[in-house]
Coordinates of all heavy atoms in Angstrom, one line a residue:
M1 N 0.8 -1.2 0.0 CA 0.0 0.0 0.0 C 0.9 1.2 0.0 O 1.9 1.3 0.7 CB -0.9 0.0 1.2 CG -2.0 1.0 1.2 SD -3.1 1.0 2.6 CE -4.1 -0.4 2.2
Q2 N 0.5 2.3 -0.7 CA 1.3 3.5 -0.8 C 1.2 4.2 0.5 O 0.2 4.2 1.3 CB 0.7 4.4 -1.9 CG 0.7 3.8 -3.3 CD 0.0 4.7 -4.3 OE1 -0.7 5.6 -3.9 NE2 0.2 4.4 -5.5
P3 N 2.3 4.9 0.9 CA 2.4 5.6 2.1 C 1.2 6.7 2.3 O 0.7 6.8 3.4 CB 3.7 6.3 2.1 CG 4.6 5.6 1.2 CD 3.6 5.0 0.2
N4 N 0.9 7.3 1.2 CA -0.2 8.4 1.3 C -1.5 7.7 1.6 O -2.3 8.2 2.4 CB -0.2 9.1 0.0 CG -1.1 10.4 0.1 OD1 -1.4 10.8 1.2 ND2 -1.6 10.9 -1.0
R5 N -1.8 6.6 0.9 CA -3.1 5.9 1.2 C -3.1 5.3 2.6 O -4.1 5.3 3.2 CB -3.3 4.8 0.1 CG -3.6 5.4 -1.2 CD -4.1 4.3 -2.1 NE -5.3 3.8 -1.5 CZ -6.3 3.3 -2.2 NH1 -6.2 3.2 -3.5 NH2 -7.4 2.8 -1.7
S6 N -2.0 4.8 3.0 CA -1.9 4.3 4.4 C -2.1 5.4 5.4 O -2.8 5.1 6.4 CB -0.5 3.7 4.6 OG -0.3 3.3 5.9
F7 N -1.6 6.6 5.2 CA -1.9 7.7 6.1 C -3.3 8.0 6.1 O -3.9 8.2 7.2 CB -1.0 8.9 5.7 CG -1.3 10.1 6.5 CD1 -0.8 10.2 7.8 CD2 -2.0 11.2 5.9 CE1 -1.1 11.4 8.5 CE2 -2.3 12.3 6.7 CZ -1.8 12.4 8.0
I8 N -4.0 8.1 5.0 CA -5.4 8.5 4.9 C -6.2 7.4 5.5 O -7.2 7.7 6.3 CB -5.8 8.7 3.4 CG1 -5.1 10.0 2.9 CG2 -7.3 8.8 3.3 CD1 -5.3 10.2 1.4
R9 N -5.9 6.1 5.3 CA -6.6 5.0 5.9 C -6.5 5.1 7.4 O -7.5 4.9 8.2 CB -6.1 3.7 5.3 CG -6.9 2.5 5.8 CD -6.5 1.3 5.1 NE -7.2 0.2 5.5 CZ -6.8 -0.9 6.2 NH1 -5.5 -0.9 6.6 NH2 -7.5 -1.8 6.6
G10 N -5.3 5.3 7.9 CA -5.1 5.4 9.4 C -5.8 6.5 10.0 O -6.4 6.4 11.1
T11 N -5.8 7.7 9.3 CA -6.6 8.8 9.8 C -8.0 8.5 9.9 O -8.7 8.9 10.8 CB -6.3 10.0 8.9 OG1 -4.9 10.3 8.8 CG2 -7.0 11.3 9.4
F12 N -8.6 7.9 8.8 CA -10.0 7.5 8.8 C -10.3 6.5 10.0 O -11.3 6.7 10.7 CB -10.4 6.9 7.5 CG -11.8 6.4 7.4 CD1 -12.8 7.4 7.4 CD2 -12.1 5.1 7.5 CE1 -14.1 6.9 7.3 CE2 -13.4 4.7 7.5 CZ -14.4 5.6 7.4
I13 N -9.5 5.6 10.2 CA -9.7 4.6 11.2 C -9.7 5.3 12.6 O -10.6 5.0 13.5 CB -8.7 3.4 11.2 CG1 -9.0 2.6 9.9 CG2 -8.8 2.6 12.4 CD1 -8.0 1.5 9.6
L14 N -8.7 6.1 12.8 CA -8.6 6.8 14.1 C -9.8 7.8 14.3 O -10.4 7.9 15.4 CB -7.3 7.6 14.2 CG -6.1 6.8 14.5 CD1 -4.9 7.7 14.4 CD2 -6.2 6.1 15.8
S15 N -10.3 8.4 13.3 CA -11.4 9.3 13.4 C -12.7 8.5 13.7 O -13.5 8.9 14.5 CB -11.6 10.1 12.1 OG -10.5 10.9 11.9
L16 N -12.9 7.4 13.0 CA -14.0 6.6 13.2 C -14.0 6.0 14.6 O -15.1 6.0 15.3 CB -14.1 5.5 12.2 CG -15.3 4.5 12.3 CD1 -16.6 5.3 11.9 CD2 -15.1 3.4 11.3
S17 N -12.9 5.6 15.1 CA -12.8 5.0 16.5 C -13.1 6.1 17.5 O -13.7 5.9 18.5 CB -11.5 4.3 16.7 OG -10.4 5.2 16.6
A18 N -12.6 7.3 17.3 CA -12.9 8.4 18.2 C -14.4 8.8 18.2 O -14.9 9.0 19.3 CB -12.1 9.7 17.8
F19 N -15.0 8.7 17.1 CA -16.4 9.0 17.0 C -17.2 7.9 17.7 O -18.1 8.2 18.5 CB -16.9 9.1 15.5 CG -18.4 9.3 15.4 CD1 -18.9 10.6 15.6 CD2 -19.2 8.3 15.0 CE1 -20.3 10.8 15.5 CE2 -20.5 8.5 14.8 CZ -21.1 9.7 15.1
I20 N -16.9 6.7 17.5 CA -17.6 5.6 18.2 C -17.4 5.7 19.7 O -18.3 5.5 20.5 CB -17.1 4.2 17.6 CG1 -17.6 4.1 16.2 CG2 -17.5 3.1 18.5 CD1 -17.0 2.9 15.5
T21 N -16.2 6.0 20.1 CA -15.9 6.2 21.6 C -16.7 7.3 22.2 O -17.3 7.1 23.3 CB -14.4 6.5 21.8 OG1 -13.6 5.4 21.2 CG2 -14.1 6.6 23.2
R22 N -16.9 8.4 21.4 CA -17.7 9.5 21.9 C -19.2 9.1 22.0 O -19.9 9.5 23.0 CB -17.6 10.7 21.0 CG -16.3 11.3 20.9 CD -16.1 12.2 22.2 NE -14.7 12.8 22.1 CZ -14.4 13.9 22.7 NH1 -15.3 14.6 23.3 NH2 -13.2 14.4 22.6
M23 N -19.6 8.3 21.1 CA -21.0 7.9 21.1 C -21.3 6.9 22.2 O -22.3 7.0 22.9 CB -21.4 7.2 19.8 CG -21.5 8.2 18.6 SD -22.8 9.4 18.9 CE -21.8 10.9 19.2
I24 N -20.3 6.0 22.5 CA -20.5 5.1 23.6 C -20.5 5.9 24.9 O -21.3 5.6 25.9 CB -19.4 4.0 23.6 CG1 -19.6 3.1 22.4 CG2 -19.3 3.3 24.9 CD1 -18.5 2.1 22.2
G25 N -19.6 6.9 25.1 CA -19.5 7.7 26.2 C -20.8 8.5 26.4 O -21.3 8.6 27.6
F26 N -21.4 9.0 25.4 CA -22.7 9.7 25.4 C -23.8 8.8 25.9 O -24.6 9.2 26.8 CB -23.0 10.4 24.1 CG -24.3 11.0 24.0 CD1 -24.5 12.2 24.7 CD2 -25.4 10.5 23.4 CE1 -25.8 12.9 24.7 CE2 -26.6 11.1 23.4 CZ -26.8 12.3 24.0
A27 N -23.8 7.6 25.3 CA -24.9 6.7 25.7 C -24.8 6.3 27.2 O -25.8 6.2 27.9 CB -24.9 5.5 24.8
S28 N -23.6 6.0 27.6 CA -23.4 5.6 29.0 C -23.7 6.8 30.0 O -24.3 6.5 31.0 CB -22.0 5.1 29.2 OG -21.0 6.2 29.1
S29 N -23.4 8.0 29.6 CA -23.8 9.1 30.4 C -25.3 9.3 30.5 O -25.8 9.7 31.6 CB -23.1 10.4 30.0 OG -23.6 10.8 28.7
V30 N -26.0 9.1 29.4 CA -27.5 9.1 29.5 C -28.0 8.1 30.4 O -28.9 8.4 31.2 CB -28.1 9.0 28.1 CG1 -29.6 8.8 28.1 CG2 -27.7 10.2 27.2
V31 N -27.6 6.9 30.3 CA -28.0 5.8 31.1 C -27.7 6.1 32.6 O -28.5 5.9 33.5 CB -27.4 4.4 30.7 CG1 -27.7 3.3 31.7 CG2 -27.9 4.0 29.3
L32 N -26.5 6.6 32.8 CA -26.1 6.9 34.2 C -26.9 8.0 34.8 O -27.3 8.0 36.0 CB -24.6 7.3 34.2 CG -23.9 7.4 35.6 CD1 -24.0 6.1 36.3 CD2 -22.5 7.9 35.4
A33 N -27.2 9.0 34.0 CA -28.0 10.1 34.5 C -29.4 9.7 34.8 O -30.0 10.1 35.8 CB -28.1 11.2 33.4
R34 N -30.0 8.8 34.0 CA -31.3 8.3 34.3 C -31.3 7.4 35.6 O -32.3 7.4 36.3 CB -31.9 7.5 33.1 CG -32.3 8.4 32.0 CD -32.8 7.6 30.8 NE -33.1 8.4 29.7 CZ -34.3 8.7 29.3 NH1 -35.4 8.3 30.0 NH2 -34.5 9.5 28.3
Y35 N -30.3 6.7 35.8 CA -30.2 5.8 36.9 C -30.0 6.5 38.2 O -30.6 6.3 39.2 CB -29.1 4.7 36.7 CG -28.9 3.8 37.8 CD1 -29.8 2.7 38.0 CD2 -27.8 3.9 38.7 CE1 -29.6 1.8 39.0 CE2 -27.6 3.0 39.7 CZ -28.6 2.0 39.9 OH -28.4 1.1 40.9
L36 N -29.0 7.5 38.2 CA -28.7 8.2 39.4 C -29.7 9.3 39.7 O -29.9 9.6 40.9 CB -27.3 8.8 39.3 CG -26.1 7.9 39.3 CD1 -24.8 8.6 39.1 CD2 -26.0 7.0 40.5
G37 N -30.2 10.0 38.7 CA -31.1 11.1 39.0 C -30.3 12.3 39.3 O -29.1 12.3 39.4
P38 N -31.0 13.4 39.6 CA -30.3 14.7 39.8 C -29.5 14.7 41.1 O -28.4 15.3 41.2 CB -31.4 15.7 40.0 CG -32.6 15.1 39.4 CD -32.4 13.6 39.5
E39 N -29.9 14.0 42.1 CA -29.2 13.9 43.4 C -27.9 13.2 43.3 O -26.9 13.5 43.9 CB -30.1 13.3 44.5 CG -31.3 14.0 44.8 CD -32.5 13.7 43.9 OE1 -32.4 12.7 43.1 OE2 -33.4 14.4 43.8
G40 N -27.8 12.2 42.4 CA -26.6 11.4 42.3 C -25.6 12.1 41.2 O -24.4 11.9 41.3
M41 N -26.2 12.8 40.3 CA -25.4 13.4 39.2 C -24.6 14.6 39.8 O -23.5 14.9 39.2 CB -26.2 13.8 38.0 CG -26.7 12.6 37.2 SD -25.3 11.6 36.5 CE -24.7 12.7 35.3
G42 N -25.1 15.3 40.8 CA -24.4 16.4 41.3 C -23.0 16.1 41.8 O -22.0 16.7 41.3
P43 N -22.9 15.2 42.8 CA -21.5 14.8 43.2 C -20.7 14.3 42.1 O -19.5 14.5 42.1 CB -21.8 13.8 44.3 CG -23.2 14.0 44.8 CD -23.9 14.5 43.6
L44 N -21.3 13.5 41.2 CA -20.5 12.9 40.1 C -19.9 14.0 39.2 O -18.7 14.0 38.8 CB -21.4 12.0 39.3 CG -20.7 11.3 38.1 CD1 -19.6 10.4 38.6 CD2 -21.7 10.6 37.3
M45 N -20.7 15.0 38.9 CA -20.2 16.1 38.1 C -19.2 17.0 38.8 O -18.4 17.7 38.2 CB -21.4 17.0 37.6 CG -22.2 16.3 36.5 SD -21.3 15.9 35.1 CE -21.4 14.1 35.0
M46 N -19.3 17.0 40.1 CA -18.3 17.8 40.9 C -16.9 17.1 40.8 O -15.9 17.7 40.8 CB -18.7 18.0 42.3 CG -19.8 19.0 42.5 SD -20.5 19.1 44.1 CE -19.1 19.2 45.2
A47 N -16.9 15.8 40.8 CA -15.7 15.0 40.8 C -15.2 14.8 39.3 O -14.0 14.4 39.1 CB -15.9 13.6 41.4
H48 N -16.1 15.0 38.4 CA -15.7 14.7 37.0 C -14.5 15.4 36.5 O -13.7 14.9 35.7 CB -16.9 15.0 36.1 CG -16.8 14.5 34.7 ND1 -16.7 13.1 34.4 CD2 -16.7 15.2 33.5 CE1 -16.6 13.0 33.1 NE2 -16.6 14.2 32.5
P49 N -14.3 16.7 36.8 CA -13.1 17.4 36.3 C -11.8 16.8 36.8 O -10.7 17.1 36.2 CB -13.2 18.8 36.8 CG -14.7 19.0 37.0 CD -15.2 17.7 37.4
L50 N -11.8 16.1 37.9 CA -10.6 15.5 38.4 C -10.0 14.4 37.5 O -8.8 14.1 37.5 CB -10.8 14.9 39.8 CG -11.1 15.9 40.9 CD1 -11.4 15.2 42.2 CD2 -10.0 16.9 41.0
V51 N -10.9 13.7 36.7 CA -10.4 12.6 35.9 C -9.4 13.0 34.9 O -8.3 12.4 34.8 CB -11.6 11.9 35.2 CG1 -11.2 10.8 34.3 CG2 -12.5 11.3 36.3
P52 N -9.6 14.0 34.1 CA -8.5 14.4 33.1 C -7.2 14.8 33.8 O -6.1 14.6 33.2 CB -9.1 15.6 32.3 CG -10.6 15.5 32.5 CD -10.8 14.8 33.8
I53 N -7.3 15.5 34.9 CA -6.1 15.9 35.7 C -5.3 14.6 36.1 O -4.1 14.6 35.9 CB -6.5 16.8 36.9 CG1 -7.1 18.1 36.4 CG2 -5.3 17.0 37.8 CD1 -7.7 18.9 37.5
L54 N -6.0 13.6 36.6 CA -5.4 12.4 37.1 C -4.8 11.6 35.9 O -3.7 11.1 36.0 CB -6.3 11.6 37.9 CG -6.8 12.1 39.2 CD1 -7.8 11.2 39.9 CD2 -5.6 12.3 40.1
V55 N -5.5 11.6 34.8 CA -5.0 10.9 33.6 C -3.7 11.6 33.1 O -2.8 11.0 32.7 CB -6.1 10.8 32.5 CG1 -5.5 10.4 31.2 CG2 -7.2 9.9 32.9
T56 N -3.7 12.9 33.1 CA -2.6 13.7 32.6 C -1.4 13.4 33.5 O -0.3 13.2 33.1 CB -2.9 15.2 32.6 OG1 -4.0 15.4 31.7 CG2 -1.7 16.0 32.1
L57 N -1.6 13.5 34.8 CA -0.5 13.2 35.8 C 0.1 11.8 35.7 O 1.3 11.6 35.8 CB -0.9 13.5 37.2 CG -1.2 15.0 37.5 CD1 -1.8 15.2 38.9 CD2 0.0 15.8 37.3
T58 N -0.8 10.8 35.5 CA -0.3 9.5 35.4 C 0.3 9.1 34.1 O 1.1 8.2 34.0 CB -1.4 8.4 35.7 OG1 -2.5 8.6 34.8 CG2 -1.9 8.6 37.1
S59 N 0.0 9.9 33.1 CA 0.6 9.5 31.8 C 1.8 10.4 31.4 O 2.3 10.3 30.3 CB -0.5 9.6 30.7 OG -0.9 10.9 30.6
L60 N 2.2 11.3 32.3 CA 3.3 12.2 31.9 C 4.6 11.5 31.7 O 5.2 11.6 30.7 CB 3.5 13.3 33.0 CG 2.5 14.4 33.0 CD1 2.7 15.3 34.2 CD2 2.6 15.2 31.7
G61 N 5.1 10.8 32.7 CA 6.4 10.3 32.6 C 6.6 8.8 32.4 O 7.4 8.4 31.6
P62 N 6.0 7.9 33.2 CA 6.3 6.5 33.1 C 6.2 5.9 31.8 O 7.2 5.1 31.4 CB 5.3 5.9 34.1 CG 5.0 7.0 35.1 CD 5.0 8.2 34.3
P63 N 5.2 6.1 30.9 CA 5.2 5.4 29.6 C 6.4 5.8 28.8 O 7.0 5.0 28.1 CB 3.9 5.8 29.0 CG 3.0 6.2 30.1 CD 3.9 6.8 31.2
L64 N 6.7 7.1 28.8 CA 7.9 7.6 28.0 C 9.2 7.0 28.5 O 10.0 6.5 27.7 CB 7.9 9.1 28.0 CG 9.0 9.7 27.2 CD1 8.8 9.4 25.7 CD2 8.9 11.2 27.3
A65 N 9.3 7.0 29.8 CA 10.6 6.4 30.4 C 10.7 4.9 30.1 O 11.8 4.5 29.8 CB 10.6 6.7 31.9
I66 N 9.6 4.2 30.2 CA 9.7 2.8 30.0 C 10.0 2.5 28.5 O 10.8 1.6 28.2 CB 8.3 2.1 30.4 CG1 8.2 2.1 31.9 CG2 8.3 0.7 29.9 CD1 6.9 1.6 32.4
S67 N 9.4 3.2 27.6 CA 9.6 3.0 26.2 C 11.1 3.3 25.9 O 11.7 2.6 25.0 CB 8.7 3.7 25.3 OG 8.8 5.1 25.5
K68 N 11.6 4.4 26.5 CA 13.0 4.7 26.2 C 14.0 3.7 26.7 O 14.9 3.3 26.0 CB 13.3 6.1 26.9 CG 14.7 6.5 26.7 CD 15.0 7.8 27.5 CE 16.4 8.3 27.4 NZ 17.3 7.5 28.2
L69 N 13.7 3.2 27.9 CA 14.6 2.1 28.5 C 14.5 0.8 27.7 O 15.6 0.2 27.5 CB 14.3 1.9 30.0 CG 14.6 3.1 30.9 CD1 14.0 2.8 32.3 CD2 16.1 3.3 31.0
V70 N 13.3 0.5 27.3 CA 13.2 -0.8 26.5 C 13.8 -0.6 25.1 O 14.5 -1.5 24.7 CB 11.7 -1.1 26.4 CG1 11.5 -2.2 25.4 CG2 11.1 -1.5 27.7
A71 N 13.7 0.6 24.5 CA 14.3 0.8 23.2 C 15.8 0.8 23.3 O 16.5 0.2 22.4 CB 13.9 2.1 22.6
E72 N 16.4 1.3 24.4 CA 17.8 1.3 24.6 C 18.3 -0.2 24.8 O 19.4 -0.6 24.2 CB 18.2 2.1 25.8 CG 18.2 3.6 25.6 CD 18.5 4.4 26.8 OE1 18.6 3.8 27.9 OE2 18.5 5.6 26.7
A73 N 17.6 -0.9 25.5 CA 18.0 -2.3 25.7 C 17.9 -3.1 24.4 O 18.7 -4.0 24.1 CB 17.1 -3.0 26.8
E74 N 16.8 -2.8 23.7 CA 16.6 -3.5 22.4 C 17.8 -3.2 21.4 O 18.2 -4.0 20.7 CB 15.3 -3.1 21.8 CG 14.9 -3.8 20.5 CD 14.4 -5.2 20.8 OE1 13.9 -5.5 21.9 OE2 14.6 -6.0 19.8
A75 N 18.2 -1.9 21.4 CA 19.3 -1.5 20.5 C 20.6 -2.2 20.9 O 21.4 -2.5 20.0 CB 19.4 0.0 20.6
K76 N 20.8 -2.4 22.2 CA 22.0 -3.0 22.6 C 21.9 -4.6 22.4 O 22.9 -5.3 22.5 CB 22.3 -2.8 24.1 CG 22.6 -1.3 24.4 CD 22.8 -1.1 25.9 CE 23.0 0.3 26.2 NZ 23.1 0.6 27.7
G77 N 20.7 -5.1 22.2 CA 20.5 -6.5 22.1 C 20.5 -7.2 23.4 O 20.7 -8.5 23.4
D78 N 20.3 -6.5 24.4 CA 20.3 -7.1 25.8 C 18.9 -7.6 26.1 O 18.0 -6.8 26.5 CB 20.8 -6.1 26.8 CG 21.0 -6.7 28.2 OD1 20.9 -7.9 28.3 OD2 21.3 -5.9 29.1
R79 N 18.6 -8.9 26.1 CA 17.3 -9.4 26.3 C 16.9 -9.3 27.8 O 15.8 -9.2 28.2 CB 17.2 -10.9 25.8 CG 17.3 -11.0 24.3 CD 17.2 -12.4 23.9 NE 15.9 -13.0 24.1 CZ 14.9 -13.0 23.2 NH1 15.1 -12.4 22.1 NH2 13.8 -13.5 23.5
Q80 N 17.9 -9.4 28.7 CA 17.6 -9.4 30.1 C 17.2 -8.0 30.6 O 16.3 -7.9 31.4 CB 18.9 -9.8 30.9 CG 19.3 -11.2 30.8 CD 18.4 -12.1 31.7 OE1 17.4 -11.6 32.3 NE2 18.7 -13.4 31.8
S81 N 17.8 -7.0 30.0 CA 17.5 -5.6 30.4 C 16.1 -5.1 29.9 O 15.6 -4.1 30.4 CB 18.6 -4.6 30.0 OG 19.8 -5.0 30.6
R82 N 15.5 -5.8 29.0 CA 14.2 -5.3 28.4 C 13.1 -5.4 29.5 O 12.2 -4.6 29.4 CB 13.8 -6.1 27.2 CG 14.6 -5.7 26.0 CD 14.0 -6.3 24.7 NE 14.2 -7.7 24.8 CZ 13.9 -8.5 23.7 NH1 13.4 -8.0 22.6 NH2 14.0 -9.8 23.8
S83 N 13.2 -6.3 30.4 CA 12.1 -6.4 31.4 C 12.5 -5.6 32.6 O 11.6 -5.4 33.5 CB 11.9 -7.9 31.8 OG 13.1 -8.5 32.3
K84 N 13.7 -5.1 32.8 CA 14.0 -4.4 34.0 C 13.3 -3.1 34.2 O 13.0 -2.7 35.3 CB 15.6 -4.2 34.0 CG 16.3 -5.4 34.4 CD 17.8 -5.1 34.5 CE 18.5 -6.4 34.8 NZ 20.0 -6.2 34.8
P85 N 13.0 -2.3 33.1 CA 12.2 -1.1 33.3 C 10.8 -1.3 34.0 O 10.4 -0.5 34.8 CB 12.0 -0.5 31.9 CG 13.1 -1.0 31.1 CD 13.4 -2.4 31.7
F86 N 10.2 -2.5 33.7 CA 9.0 -2.8 34.4 C 9.2 -3.1 35.9 O 8.4 -2.8 36.7 CB 8.3 -4.0 33.7 CG 7.9 -3.7 32.3 CD1 8.6 -4.3 31.2 CD2 6.9 -2.8 32.0 CE1 8.3 -4.1 29.9 CE2 6.6 -2.6 30.7 CZ 7.3 -3.2 29.6
L87 N 10.3 -3.7 36.2 CA 10.6 -4.0 37.6 C 10.9 -2.7 38.4 O 10.7 -2.6 39.5 CB 11.8 -5.0 37.7 CG 11.5 -6.3 37.1 CD1 12.8 -7.2 37.1 CD2 10.4 -7.0 37.8
R88 N 11.5 -1.7 37.7 CA 11.9 -0.4 38.3 C 10.6 0.4 38.7 O 10.6 1.2 39.6 CB 12.8 0.4 37.4 CG 14.1 -0.1 37.3 CD 15.0 0.8 36.4 NE 16.1 0.1 35.9 CZ 16.8 0.6 34.9 NH1 16.5 1.7 34.3 NH2 17.9 -0.1 34.5
C89 N 9.6 0.2 37.9 CA 8.4 1.0 38.0 C 7.4 0.5 39.1 O 6.4 1.1 39.3 CB 7.6 1.2 36.7 SG 8.6 2.1 35.5
R90 N 7.7 -0.5 39.7 CA 6.8 -1.1 40.8 C 6.9 -0.3 42.0 O 7.7 0.4 42.4 CB 7.2 -2.5 41.1 CG 6.8 -3.5 40.0 CD 7.0 -4.8 40.5 NE 6.7 -5.7 39.4 CZ 6.9 -7.0 39.4 NH1 7.3 -7.6 40.5 NH2 6.7 -7.8 38.4

């Protein structure tokens, strides 16, 4: 497959999956709102802004550091060191 077509196909797949994810999130929020009612949705919506903050904080460093350490071990051909970054993160 040509690189240009591969890029367009990948972009389409990512866009479609993002749209499907948004629709599933919307449907689940409607079901949750009907189940909890106004009294339950209030505290949930107060805590809701914390989720993106926590996701951002947890995804800042460890995935990048682990991928860097694994790539370095892979480049050196050291099979033993490839699993060590996972042991360091415990």
Side-chain angles (χ1 to χ4, degrees):
M1 189 177 284
Q2 296 174 347
N4 191 21
R5 289 192 62 152
S6 175
F7 175 75
I8 292 172
R9 184 172 183 249
T11 303
F12 176 73
I13 290 171
L14 285 175
S15 299
L16 183 65
S17 63
F19 178 74
I20 291 171
T21 302
R22 294 282 179 153
M23 290 298 107
I24 291 172
F26 175 73
S28 66
S29 66
V30 168
V31 171
L32 190 63
R34 288 180 183 253
Y35 180 73
L36 292 177
E39 296 83 17
M41 287 301 288
L44 181 65
M45 289 298 120
M46 287 173 47
H48 190 67
L50 293 176
V51 173
I53 293 171
L54 293 176
V55 168
T56 301
L57 291 176
T58 57
S59 65
L60 280 177
L64 183 62
I66 289 173
S67 63
K68 179 183 178 289
L69 292 172
V70 170
E72 287 175 354
E74 185 76 26
K76 292 177 186 175
D78 189 5
R79 295 180 67 91
Q80 289 283 5
S81 295
R82 285 192 293 188
S83 62
K84 286 183 182 177
F86 297 108
L87 298 175
R88 290 183 199 164
C89 294
R90 286 186 187 177

